[in-house]
Amino acid sequence: MNTYRIAVCALVLLTGAPHTLAASSVDLSVKGRLTPTACTPLLSSNGLIDYGKISQQDLNLEKGTRLPVKHLQVSIGCNAPNRFALRMRDNRDGTAMVNSEIYYGLGLDNSGNRIGLYSLTFDPRQTQADSLATAYGTESTTGGLAWRTANLNPIDIGANSYLGFTDTEGSTTGPTAIQALTSTVKIEAVINAKQNLDLSSDTLLDGSATLEVLYL
């Protein structure tokens, strides 16, 4: 996904001088950069996580039910080394049981109840970037202005945070230029408490999200 930064700048000068004339015009600047670099994300199993049929008798009555952990391979291929970050958008926004950027919704049941949530975790130890011996994970919650100290801790990908990888442990300068990246991602899903759901008929888990590549 290409992103273009737009800057709108204006300056209004106020003064106490009685004879100063106010300007009747202001400048607008529109800036950005077009890049020949392109990166393509790919997901194993066409991005499908299928839990099959789940009997309501296997659900906890008063608390959420954790489903078996699943794994998905994420691959990013670029036509040249490029600094990029990842972000995920929830296509079922507002349906997760918990309001957090790292939790994504599983849709609503027939009565409008929230079915559950899921999360995706990237583990640097399960990530290969080009020929790097080790890829360290880093994250920005400020749109790329500042980056978390790079390390090997797992990172839950968020809807409002940038996630990237670098070859330097302890770095705070953000992702390094990478051409090919592959990571095995852990998916964890939780179904809402049985007492909070309408299970009078089949209820479909309807999670959907979009993984974005952001060029830095």
Side-chain angles (χ1 to χ4, degrees):
M1 176 181 179
N2 291 315
T3 59
Y4 306 102
R5 296 183 179 180
I6 300 174
V8 179
C9 303
L11 174 65
V12 178
L13 179 63
L14 300 179
T15 177
H19 301 296
T20 301
L21 298 177
S24 58
S25 64
V26 66
D27 293 333
L28 168 69
S29 296
V30 178
K31 300 180 179 181
R33 181 175 62 182
L34 301 178
T35 175
T37 304
C39 298
T40 302
L42 294 174
L43 302 175
S44 62
S45 303
N46 293 319
L48 176 63
I49 299 296
D50 189 355
Y51 285 97
K53 291 186 177 181
I54 304 168
S55 173
Q56 62 171 295
Q57 70 180 7
D58 295 328
L59 301 179
N60 297 321
L61 178 62
E62 299 178 346
K63 64 179 182 179
T65 301
R66 290 188 174 275
L67 300 182
V69 172
K70 299 279 189 177
H71 292 90
L72 192 70
Q73 189 174 77
V74 175
S75 299
I76 310 294
C78 305
N79 59 1
N82 188 54
R83 295 182 70 244
F84 63 83
L86 303 176
R87 179 176 64 185
M88 200 166 78
R89 296 295 190 186
D90 192 356
N91 299 327
R92 301 294 181 262
D93 193 26
T95 70
M97 293 157 30
V98 178
N99 183 22
S100 170
E101 69 156 333
I102 65 170
Y103 294 130
Y104 303 87
L106 291 173
L108 305 174
D109 65 16
N110 294 328
S111 296
N113 302 308
R114 298 174 182 181
I115 298 173
L117 56 79
Y118 64 100
S119 63
L120 281 80
T121 304
F122 282 76
D123 187 347
R125 300 178 189 274
Q126 300 294 322
T127 300
Q128 178 63 48
D130 293 336
S131 58
L132 302 183
T134 305
Y136 300 95
T138 185
E139 186 179 25
S140 174
T141 59
T142 59
L145 296 178
W147 291 87
R148 188 193 76 180
T149 302
N151 55 51
L152 291 175
N153 295 333
I155 305 175
D156 295 323
I157 189 169
N160 302 312
S161 300
Y162 292 3
L163 185 156
F165 295 91
T166 177
D167 59 351
T168 306
E169 185 177 14
S171 171
T172 59
T173 59
T176 191
I178 293 171
Q179 184 166 359
L181 182 143
T182 302
S183 185
T184 300
V185 178
K186 180 174 69 174
I187 294 91
E188 296 181 277
V190 178
I191 303 299
N192 205 342
K194 184 177 178 179
Q195 65 183 9
N196 297 331
L197 296 172
D198 177 1
L199 300 175
S200 58
S201 60
D202 283 354
T203 300
L204 299 178
L205 304 189
D206 188 31
S208 174
T210 300
L211 182 68
E212 298 178 339
V213 178
L214 305 171
Y215 303 113
L216 305 175

